[in-house]
Amino acid sequence: MFRLLSARKTFADLSEREVLALAIASEEDDARIYADFAARLRAVFPATAAIFEGMAEEEDDHRRRLIDLFRTRFEGPIPLLRREHVAGYAARRPVWLTETLDIVTLRGEAARMERAAAEFYERAAARTGDPAQRLLLGDLARAERGHERAAEGLEGAHVDADAEAAEAEADRRRFVLTWVQPGLAGLMDGSVSTLAPIFATAFATGDTMTTFRVGLAASIGAGISMGFTEAASDDGVISGRGSPLKRGLAAGVMTTIGGLGHALPYLIPDFATATGIALALVFAELWAIAWIQKRWMSTPFLRAAFQVVLGGALVLAAGILIGEF
């Protein structure tokens, strides 16, 4: 029943001519994917780009060998048959989804692609009766199985210790600029800037639910404002800080989290308990910010702690004093 509802063929339905056509199209796709990886990485990660260039060349060689075999065995044009036309065939991830992947993950993606290709060639070789086609498909299966080792060989040829260290540092820097820096700025803004309105409301009204509502509004409002400001301030092209959407998302979400951290305790009806927990969370938030600055921004811990804790304490004191008066 489900077979009748699907327009795709199963692998068992394919003729030997169609199996070759599918293999040719698959090799073309993989060569393009590796070439795209190389083009995207060349400016920042030239050594790893050379790895993918080598893999693209190898896929092109596989394609040529398959086309030669097709011309020897069959007449006419090569049928248009792609992965998405065959049910159960291992699909490739859309290339645009890999734009955010780091170097290690990209290499792992390449290994996954090659394992899937090897499994296809093994299945195809097992069901063909032509000796030449069986030999070629078996050779290609072995080549794909060994492609991970081949990639390691290419890596040894193109990526020495210095190049690998430089690429790792560039990858880390890109992560910091795109996610950590705007997220940290948002967390600091949300944690510190909302202290005054939340605690001013708390000490002015003594009402925990009113305080929570003010804190919720301040946190969400600050998050939206911070997110849009970060996204609109820099498109990332010249500065190299990455996608404005990602930076805006990091800044907006962390700003909201920073404010909600000491607003949520006011869901507790008892004012003294809620305020005590909120003050403890403020202390924890400020020290967490100092640790993040030391971990990711290489800021000395004592200096970071002094700046953040002192600034937070002044804002907190201002909010409490305003609320008392």
Side-chain angles (χ1 to χ4, degrees):
M1 175 180 176
F2 294 105
R3 174 69 184 91
L4 294 175
L5 295 176
S6 174
R8 297 188 296 169
K9 289 188 173 185
T10 65
F11 187 79
D13 293 333
L14 300 180
S15 65
E16 292 187 1
R17 184 171 183 266
E18 290 172 327
V19 167
L20 275 181
L22 178 60
I24 291 167
S26 298
E27 293 294 343
E28 288 175 343
D29 288 346
D30 288 354
R32 291 192 186 101
I33 290 173
Y34 292 142
D36 184 82
F37 285 177
R40 184 180 303 146
L41 297 172
R42 190 173 293 116
V44 182
F45 307 111
T48 296
I51 293 174
F52 287 119
E53 286 171 357
M55 295 175 73
E57 291 173 2
E58 187 169 342
E59 300 302 323
D60 275 334
D61 179 66
H62 292 175
R63 176 185 57 83
R64 286 191 293 268
R65 293 169 64 186
L66 287 163
I67 290 176
D68 288 341
L69 177 62
F70 186 92
R71 288 172 175 168
T72 300
R73 291 203 61 202
F74 305 106
E75 295 182 357
I78 300 171
L80 178 59
L81 191 66
R82 310 183 74 87
R83 290 182 175 91
E84 58 268 25
H85 301 153
V86 180
Y89 192 77
R92 295 291 183 253
R93 295 171 61 177
V95 174
W96 60 268
L97 288 179
T98 64
E99 291 181 356
T100 60
L101 299 182
D102 57 28
I103 298 299
V104 174
T105 307
L106 279 177
R107 291 173 182 165
E109 176 71 10
R112 188 189 71 83
M113 290 168 58
E114 295 310 314
R115 283 194 297 271
E119 291 171 359
F120 164 72
Y121 286 128
E122 287 167 353
R123 292 169 61 193
R127 63 188 298 270
T128 183
D130 180 76
Q133 184 164 330
R134 189 182 187 94
L135 177 62
L136 176 57
L137 294 175
D139 288 344
L140 291 178
R142 285 190 293 274
E144 303 291 1
R145 284 294 182 192
H147 210 277
E148 187 172 358
R149 292 189 296 273
E152 290 174 358
L154 286 169
E155 190 169 337
H158 296 288
V159 184
D160 57 22
D162 291 338
E164 189 170 5
E167 289 190 351
E169 178 57 29
D171 201 37
R172 177 186 180 278
R173 183 174 181 274
R174 183 175 61 175
F175 175 77
V176 169
L177 290 176
T178 303
W179 293 107
V180 177
Q181 189 179 66
L184 179 60
L187 184 61
M188 291 175 66
D189 183 81
S191 297
V192 175
S193 67
T194 58
L195 287 175
I198 289 175
F199 283 96
T201 303
F203 282 87
T205 65
D207 186 287
T208 57
M209 185 52 64
T210 299
T211 302
F212 170 73
R213 290 194 181 102
V214 170
L216 181 64
S219 301
I220 294 176
I224 294 172
S225 174
M226 191 72 173
F228 273 99
T229 300
E230 177 62 38
S233 65
D234 178 14
D235 62 7
V237 175
I238 296 177
S239 66
R241 296 181 64 216
S243 165
L245 177 61
K246 296 174 187 174
R247 290 186 288 104
L249 182 65
V253 170
M254 294 308 293
T255 300
T256 303
I257 290 175
L260 287 177
H262 42 265
L264 288 174
Y266 283 99
L267 286 172
I268 300 172
D270 183 72
F271 178 80
T273 302
T275 301
I277 294 175
L279 289 172
L281 286 175
V282 168
F283 181 80
E285 288 171 2
L286 297 179
W287 282 103
I289 291 170
W291 180 86
I292 293 172
Q293 283 188 312
K294 177 183 182 300
R295 171 67 177 82
W296 290 101
M297 311 303 292
S298 300
T299 304
F301 183 75
L302 291 179
R303 188 174 79 185
F306 176 77
Q307 293 171 343
V308 174
V309 175
L310 177 61
L314 290 175
V315 175
L316 175 63
I320 294 175
L321 288 173
I322 292 171
E324 289 287 358
F325 288 104

